[in-house]
């Protein structure tokens, strides 16, 4: 099964990003947009994992999350990856409060992943938390969108979620498999 660990966004924030999409869709062509209900912040991509390893890993994800503090977040402006050259991914920034909270959780997950023999993946070496809004359509040159006003609503992050990813005709579909609360105290 194809798995990843992520933070969920509250419905109001996903709706606000849906409005950003509506505003940009006409002007910024060539993008394949992530549906509003699927928007998330990837903390660690696991890739294909066999069920036995998945079962062994879950207590470690739970422990890593339990050792992390809940935190607050707000969305920041839009950006694209890669930093130079042809944009492939359009994202919204994700500011955590206190700063470094998401990176600390990602670090704990990385440690746990190492213990399981799951190596570093390429993107992870430059972990930068973000919400992927759209990906460039294959073979298309995209228009880099001008910045749009993004909701500054503050919201709480209190759990890490293990997702399964399946690709069908309509694109990727994510299913939450298990939730791991962030419980450490300040
Ligand atoms: P699709 O691949 O069908 O376009 P998707 O990228 O949303 O859709 P997945 O590839 O299963 O679906 O990815 C699930 C999540 O993990 C997404 O947030 C994606 O950005 C992230 N991800 C995918 N591959 C990697 C990787 N190699 N390193 C880090 N994160 C990744
Ligand atoms: Mg992908």
């Amino acid at each position: 099964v194809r798995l990843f660990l992520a933070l969920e966004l509250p419905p109001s924030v996903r709706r606000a990003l849906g409005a950003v999409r509506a505003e940009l869709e006409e002007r910024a062509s060539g993008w394949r947009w992530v549906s509003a209900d699927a928007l998330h912040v990837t903390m660690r991509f696991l890739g294909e994992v066999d069920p036995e390893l998945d079962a062994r890993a879950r207590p470690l994800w739970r422990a890593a999350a339990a050792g992390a503090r809940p935190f607050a977040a707000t969305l920041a402006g839009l950006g694209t990856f890669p930093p130079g050259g042809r944009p492939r991914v359009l994202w919204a920034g994700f500011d955590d409060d206190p700063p470094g909270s998401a990176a600390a959780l990602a670090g704990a997950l990385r440690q746990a992943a190492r213990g399981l023999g799951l190596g570093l993946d390429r993107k992870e070496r430059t972990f930068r938390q973000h919400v992927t809004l759209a990906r460039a359509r294959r073979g298309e040159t995209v228009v880099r969108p001008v910045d749009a006003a993004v909701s500054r609503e503050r919201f709480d992050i209190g759990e890490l979620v293990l997702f399964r990813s399946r690709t069908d005709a309509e694109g990727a579909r994510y299913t939450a498999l298990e939730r791991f609360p962030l419980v450490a105290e300040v």
Side-chain angles (χ1 to χ4, degrees):
V1 288
R2 189 177 173 91
L3 303 176
F4 65 101
L5 293 157
L7 308 176
E8 279 183 333
L9 301 171
S12 56
V13 170
R14 285 185 272 119
R15 267 197 304 276
L17 287 171
V20 168
R21 167 183 176 169
E23 187 186 333
L24 291 179
E25 214 163 15
E26 297 285 300
R27 280 184 280 150
S29 60
W31 295 101
R32 184 165 53 87
W33 294 83
V34 177
S35 67
D37 57 313
L39 294 166
H40 63 273
V41 179
T42 300
M43 296 303 291
R44 196 175 197 285
F45 178 68
L46 301 170
E48 283 297 325
V49 174
D50 68 64
E52 185 269 332
L53 180 56
D54 174 28
R56 217 149 35 86
R58 291 190 193 193
L60 300 191
W61 309 141
R62 181 170 294 281
R69 292 171 186 165
F71 58 95
T74 44
L75 297 177
L78 305 184
T80 54
F81 287 143
R86 245 167 107 142
R88 307 308 306 163
V89 169
L90 170 66
W91 48 264
F94 178 88
D95 288 340
D96 48 1
D97 178 20
S101 301
L105 175 57
L109 297 174
R110 179 182 310 195
Q111 290 271 58
R114 280 214 191 108
L116 291 161
L118 293 167
L120 279 182
D121 62 55
R122 215 156 54 83
K123 285 187 194 167
E124 191 176 27
R125 272 175 225 152
T126 52
F127 175 81
R128 260 178 79 192
Q129 68 231 17
H130 63 276
V131 182
T132 295
L133 300 179
R135 297 184 176 81
R137 287 184 190 283
R138 203 180 290 272
E140 279 198 50
T141 302
V142 296
V143 172
R144 196 190 291 269
V146 292
D147 213 350
V150 174
S151 155
R152 294 296 294 171
E153 176 187 338
R154 192 177 153 93
F155 52 96
D156 294 322
I157 298 292
E159 62 185 19
L160 173 75
V161 184
L162 175 67
F163 283 100
R164 175 172 186 189
S165 171
R166 267 179 279 210
T167 303
D168 64 21
E170 281 158 50
R173 266 179 208 288
Y174 310 134
T175 315
L177 298 180
E178 194 165 337
R179 294 166 186 282
F180 309 116
L182 313 186
V183 294
E185 282 171 27
V186 183

